Amino acid sequence: MREEMSRDDRVFVMGEDIGARGGVFLATDGFYEHFGEERVIDTPLAESSIAGIALGAAMNGLRPIAEIEFADFIYPTFNQIIGEAARVRYGSKGSLSVPMVIRAPYGGGVRGGLYHSQSVETFFAHTPGLKVVAPATPYDAKGLLKSSIRDEDPVIFLEHKRTYRLVQGEVPDHEYLVTLGKADVKMEGDDVTVFTYGLMLHHCLEAARQVAREGISVEIVDLRSIRPLDNETILSSAKKTGKVLIVHEDTKALGVGAEVSAIISEQAFEHLDSPIKRVTGPEVPAMPFSPSLEDVFMPDSDRIVTAIQELAVY
Amino acid sequence: MGDARLSLPVRKAAITHISSDLATQISMTERFASDVIDGQRLLDLYRRMVLSRTVDERVWMLNRQGKAAIVASAQGHEAAQMGSAAALRAGDDHFYIYYRDLAVLVGLGMTAKQIMLGFQAKAGEPMSGARQFPLHGGYPQLKIVNLSNVVGTQIPQAVGSALACKMRGQNSVTICYFGDGAASVGDCHEGMNFAAIHKLPIIFFCENNKYAISVPLSKQMAVDTIASRAEGYGMKGVVVDGTDVTPVYQATAEAAALARAGGGPTLIEAVVERYLPHTSDDDDSRYRDKDELEEARKHDPLILLKERLMDGGILTEQIYEEYLREAKREVDEATDYVEALPYPDPNDFFEHVYAYQEGESSL
Ligand SMILES: Cc1ncc(C[n+]2csc(CCOP(=O)(O)OP(=O)(O)O)c2C)c(N)n1
Ligand SMILES: [Mg+2]
């Protein structure tokens, strides 16, 4: 963000506590001092208007990055994002556009309870006109965020809270972009393909290392971008292994896994050697607080290992 | 014709300042109190009001003939819409309008043809390609935005537009139109609060016709005026007689000057009448008294302005007849032209979902 704000003076950030506090997760640490309060706007606690004002500013030539403090508080913005931002280009027949990014820390495993743990990607990914991105590694986060900021359409940029501290990785200082809508094969393999994104990528990698000791070769595809999905990569990997597992933390019914599975069923059915499997969050309305309860919700590497083993022997 | 520079007097009660004025606001008020719209300009506004009314009556008729799917009439709102638009700089200032703002568009110079394309949803409709209801979409040539049917949604967006003007160092003002019903929406509060905090160059222009479809003001709020809320946000609030173009113009000009001078937003409440049902789909006999409507009709902004211009010797019967004829001619021509046109080509159906076609790099 810092690089993009330095590069393009139309880019600015707005949100709650992003000024002197530097954001509750310190994403804008030092921005206030460096760019000043005009471009680092501490907003009132009013989510709908954070999205609505960013939208209006984007239509009028700026490139706002609006932060929703926690994705759990994004619901008041639904009207502005799904009802408005997504439709601006279509509803003006191309005469207006919304180059804005909505950043939102999401996801569980952080003892956040019902209101600080949720996954919200599906709500937005259902909506044509929006792009939805969920990076899993620091490298991808930088490249995808830069691409999102430069994109001409509204992007929902979801950052898994647990990856902020848990995951470390190389981030080059130099300029690079990661294209939106392109999945990334994070591990190559032959027996089973696992499609995943966000924090779950790391559990999948761990699971793959475990089953490798049993001689099962796993290919892991990090979707990275949930809308648009990278159908090409999805289909080619599914065809290659013929066995597909989809892992996400979000709940199962009508989730990202359902869509990925449908794409494969529609376009690569004859290449499959087994039914498609999903490991996902369970069908409760939100992630509970107590560790014992939260653990029931969060998919982990053990559950993924079991699913991979079942597929391998199918 | 009379003295074209004649300044017509404003009725004393027509503008009420609500909030306690800051020093700068007082000086602005004084400066503009003398800056009354001149006679020639009023005459031109009257001509446009006649055109707007003629379009309005025509599209309502087309609806009854089954040729226009939905109409929200501006009849009774014209002075508020025209007077405010006239006080701003067409092409420079940003207009966030809502579905009832036909006379804003006519005031800004859109033609009967352009407008009627929307009511009949025909190919070439300029604001959304007839993807949206009439008057909706965008018209960047005149910086007009009207995206949503979700009441009140445009308010934070207009605030964002004003924020962008300020950040980009532009001297443009954004005006945001909405109804009394929209004033109850949470987004209205959020938007106004933000605009006041940052002293943004925006005018909140509420067309208070005293109804949100059927719900009367008494069931929408416990205070007497919407403008009284302005003080709670730390901005200026004004109530004007919205059936009279002069005070509307004056209040808007003042608000625009204040905004351009960095003095922040103003909430203008223009009290207007809605002569027809909420939309062509509504039946107002279920909730509105005949007598009340009759009384309202006595304050018809067109009659009021006509009398004023006649009294001032600016308008003559002859000019009046000519305006009517000219408006009818333009609207007849537009009706025939639009009727003969096809609906939009469905081949364009998938265009403009994203800036770039799927698969193509957007970078
Ligand atoms: C959020 C929302 N709720 C309900 C409606 C249905 N609706 C359309 S217009 C309207 C009344 C709006 O009244 P007001 O803001 O006073 O504008 P007016 O039509 O009187 O000019 C209602 C309830 C809507 N479009 N959006
Ligand atoms: Mg109303």
Side-chain angles (χ1 to χ4, degrees), chain A residues 235-251:
Chain A
L235 290 169
S236 71
S237 183
K239 287 175 186 171
K240 175 179 166 191
T241 63
K243 292 181 175 178
V244 171
L245 171 67
I246 303 156
V247 180
H248 56 65
E249 176 182 324
D250 197 4
T251 51

Side-chain angles (χ1 to χ4, degrees), chain B residues 3-68:
Chain B
D3 178 5
R5 292 172 41 86
L6 176 79
S7 288
L8 294 165
V10 186
R11 276 180 289 152
K12 254 259 144 25
I15 303 185
T16 319
H17 292 274
I18 298 284
S19 64
S20 52
D21 288 350
L22 305 168
T24 55
Q25 290 173 340
I26 291 167
S27 70
M28 286 295 163
T29 308
E30 280 165 359
R31 184 146 73 76
F32 274 87
S34 60
D35 197 9
V36 184
I37 186 165
D38 73 38
Q40 199 53 54
R41 196 74 196 289
L42 270 181
L43 191 63
D44 182 55
L45 280 185
Y46 180 67
R47 185 183 59 77
R48 289 171 196 249
M49 274 163 80
V50 170
L51 177 59
S52 175
R53 181 67 64 92
T54 310
V55 171
D56 204 307
E57 288 169 349
R58 178 63 53 87
V59 291
W60 196 268
M61 192 178 88
L62 289 173
N63 170 268
R64 294 315 190 222
Q65 295 174 350
K67 292 175 182 167

Side-chain angles (χ1 to χ4, degrees), chain A residues 88-97, chain B residues 127-128 131 140 351-353:
Chain A
V88 167
R89 185 182 295 285
Y90 194 75
S92 66
K93 206 157 187 248
S95 73
L96 299 171
S97 60
Chain B
M127 294 184 70
S128 74
R131 286 172 172 182
E351 270 181 20
H352 304 299
V353 177

Side-chain angles (χ1 to χ4, degrees), chain A residues 46-69:
Chain A
E47 277 73 14
S48 177
S49 65
I50 292 174
I53 291 166
L55 165 50
M59 284 194 289
N60 193 359
L62 296 181
R63 293 185 168 259
I65 307 171
E67 177 175 312
I68 300 297
E69 203 155 64

